[in-house]
């Protein structure tokens, strides 16, 4: 007896099993009891999301209709009395007034390959799975989770409780990678951002707790001074307003080592200082953290799309902007210079940020590096989709999934997105 089971999505059992949740969002969903090939194969939905195809024991199911055994059927076919073909489906009527035309002499009709869900599924080039997603989470010292006004659906999570709960939910749907962003109390901010490498600071504490609870969770950290800087800049600000490069890199190395010591798997410099990847690599190696990876924000643009994030962390620059270190949105070639530098300096993953408005840059990096490419769908992109969805101007879920798929199509291996959990739920076939 043939028995084949197609796992469409895991039952929502949590933990590691959630990692295999890979139902494609445009996938087919056979209806209960569907008969395949009229040959005694039936599909049964054995639970919410598990589909089982089984060949029936005797193969007699379809023959019952004719009342003939297999032998009688075969004999009839050999004698030339085979069963009649079913009637041809009649041509569907066109509306009155449709012009009668000769068919165009087209060799290629690309629509042929789009004519049914099954064909479309066969030819789909790009897939999105929960394993491609990294979930950015905001944390704070408080006990409560506090909503972020400019990012509906996002919270500053209490590191002791809310954080653990959110991570557990994400893992249930196959998202096992997170990146942490701390909201630091003003009293701990300083011009040199030294709280960034306090080994008992919020981020190292949260990492240790998470690793204790979920040892296989992949934890990314942000390496930059802005949440810790009383100036709200990613680096140390000199009296004349210049953001100091090499001195900042020195601080970033200490920050990265403190995060590694707490158990971070991947440290992610988002500061855009020159030479920081090489310096951080050397600092990590010197402390025997050879296995800690570096995801470099390679092409990070000075973007208005970061607005909601800065509200979330209360990290707006106290003066000026970030244009002397983040890239000019008008520039494309310059991203190659950063790519070459980060590769040479030992980055493990290259990131482009923001995401959707910079698809060309994602493709540029994809085509010019063999390293994994990450794209960051940033706070402003998230909030635009949310806001338009709330106002019913767009279908939020459709646009969310499409935006993520487009980032994959442009060449992103992984996507940092505040939609990670919502999208993974959708991929796992959860109803809204
Ligand atoms: C700063 C940092 C920023 C973001 C991630 N890391 C903001 C900034 O550069 O001002 C923005 C992410 C988002 O908008 O979602 N190191």
């Amino acid at each position: 007896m043939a028995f084949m089971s197609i796992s469409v999505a895991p039952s929502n059992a949590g933990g590691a099993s959630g990692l295999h949740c890979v139902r494609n969002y445009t996938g087919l969903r056979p209806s209960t009891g569907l008969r395949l090939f009229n040959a005694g194969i039936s599909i049964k939905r054995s639970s919410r999301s598990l589909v089982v195809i089984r060949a029936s024991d005797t193969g007699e199911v379809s023959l019952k209709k004719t009342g003939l055994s297999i032998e009688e059927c075969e004999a009839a076919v050999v004698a030339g009395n085979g069963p009649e073909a079913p009637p041809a489906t009649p041509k569907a009527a066109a509306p009155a007034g449709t012009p009668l035309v000769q068919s165009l002499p087209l060799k290629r009709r690309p629509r042929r390959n789009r004519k049914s869900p099954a064909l479309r599924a066969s030819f789909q080039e790009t897939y999105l799975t929960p394993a491609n997603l990294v979930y950015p989470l905001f944390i704070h010292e408080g006990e409560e989770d506090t909503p972020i006004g400019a990012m509906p659906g996002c919270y500053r999570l209490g590191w002791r409780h809310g954080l653990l709960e959110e991570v557990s939910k994400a893992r249930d749907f196959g998202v096992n990678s997170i990146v942490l962003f701390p909201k630091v109390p003003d009293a701990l901010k300083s011009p040199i951002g030294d709280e960034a490498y306090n080994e008992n600071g919020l981020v190292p504490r949260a990492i240790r707790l998470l690793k204790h609870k979920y040892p296989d969770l992949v934890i990314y950290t942000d390496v930059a001074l802005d949440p810790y800087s009383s100036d709200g800049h990613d680096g140390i600000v000199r009296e004349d307003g210049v953001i100091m490069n090499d001195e900042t890199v020195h601080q970033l190395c200490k920050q990265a080592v403190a995060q590694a010591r707490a158990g971070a798997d991947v440290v992610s410099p988002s500061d855009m200082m020159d030479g920081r990847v090489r310096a951080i690599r050397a600092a990590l190696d010197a402390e025997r953290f050879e296995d800690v990876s570096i995801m470099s924000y390679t092409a990070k643009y000075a973007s208005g799309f970061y607005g909601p994030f800065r509200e979330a962390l209360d990290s707006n620059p106290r003066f000026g902007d970030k244009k002397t270190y983040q890239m000019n949105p008008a520039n494309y070639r310059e991203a190659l210079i950063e790519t070459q530098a980060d590769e040479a300096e030992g980055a493990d993953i290259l990131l482009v940020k923001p995401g959707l408005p910079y698809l060309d840059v994602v493709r540029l990096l994809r085509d010019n590096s063999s390293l994994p490419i990450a794209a960051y769908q940033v706070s402003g992109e998230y909030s635009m989709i949310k806001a338009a969805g709330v106002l019913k101007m767009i279908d939020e879920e459709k646009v969310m999934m499409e935006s993520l798929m487009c980032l994959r199509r442009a060449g992103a291996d992984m996507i940092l997105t505040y939609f990670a959990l919502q999208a993974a739920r959708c991929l796992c076939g959860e109803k809204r």
Side-chain angles (χ1 to χ4, degrees), residues 164-389:
L164 298 185
E165 280 158 31
E166 196 67 10
V167 167
S168 157
K169 279 187 222 161
R171 283 162 59 88
D172 280 353
F173 290 95
V175 176
N176 195 41
S177 300
I178 61 156
V179 54
L180 292 175
F181 292 104
K183 158 94 172 64
V184 177
D186 276 347
L188 294 177
K189 296 186 181 183
S190 76
I192 59 164
D194 43 339
E195 176 64 14
Y197 45 86
N198 173 2
E199 307 232 337
N200 232 343
L202 178 56
V203 167
R205 241 183 295 133
I207 296 174
R208 287 195 295 266
L209 181 63
L210 283 169
K211 277 285 169 181
H212 177 71
K213 189 106 201 269
Y214 309 111
D216 65 333
L217 176 70
V218 182
I219 303 181
Y220 291 70
T221 56
D222 191 61
V223 180
L225 298 186
D226 53 319
Y228 309 93
S229 154
S230 41
D231 296 305
H233 275 285
D234 291 25
I236 299 175
V237 185
R238 210 168 58 188
E239 199 177 30
D240 58 359
V242 167
I243 313 297
M244 303 173 78
N245 193 86
D246 301 12
E247 294 75 3
T248 298
V249 169
H250 179 86
Q251 300 293 78
L252 299 178
C253 288
K254 292 208 258 184
Q255 181 180 18
V257 167
Q259 293 167 346
R261 203 164 272 146
D265 299 280
V266 185
V267 298
S268 327
S270 68
D271 55 288
M272 291 301 281
M273 297 299 121
D274 294 332
R276 89 279 210 213
V277 172
R278 186 189 308 277
I280 290 172
R281 183 72 271 158
L284 290 172
D285 291 351
E287 299 284 330
R288 303 303 320 251
F289 292 118
E290 297 95 344
D291 291 337
V292 172
S293 313
I294 298 178
M295 175 170 77
S296 177
Y297 285 58
T298 297
K300 176 173 178 178
Y301 287 86
S303 171
F305 285 95
Y306 307 150
F309 174 97
R310 293 180 190 169
E311 187 206 299
L313 294 190
D314 190 16
S315 65
N316 259 304
R318 201 170 47 80
F319 69 90
D321 49 43
K322 300 191 175 185
K323 289 182 185 167
T324 66
Y325 44 109
Q326 300 180 348
M327 287 170 57
N328 180 347
N331 290 0
Y332 175 77
R333 255 181 8 246
E334 195 180 344
L336 269 185
I337 297 176
E338 294 286 357
T339 302
Q340 284 150 10
D342 284 352
E343 275 209 329
E345 292 180 28
D348 300 285
I349 305 166
L350 307 179
L351 182 143
V352 175
K353 175 180 175 186
L356 217 50
Y358 294 81
L359 288 185
D360 56 331
V361 182
V362 173
R363 171 53 56 190
L364 177 72
L365 265 65
R366 169 73 295 146
D367 288 345
N368 284 280
S369 174
S370 302
L371 291 173
I373 305 298
Y376 198 146
Q377 181 176 58
V378 299
S379 54
E381 300 176 67
Y382 169 86
S383 297
M384 286 197 308
I385 295 174
K386 275 281 172 192

Side-chain angles (χ1 to χ4, degrees), residues 392-408:
K392 302 272 183 252
M393 290 172 169
I394 57 170
D395 179 327
E396 177 183 323
E397 191 168 280
K398 264 198 191 142
V399 173
M400 163 183 80
M401 297 311 286
E402 183 178 333
S403 66
L404 296 172
M405 187 62 86
C406 290
L407 287 162
R408 294 272 298 139

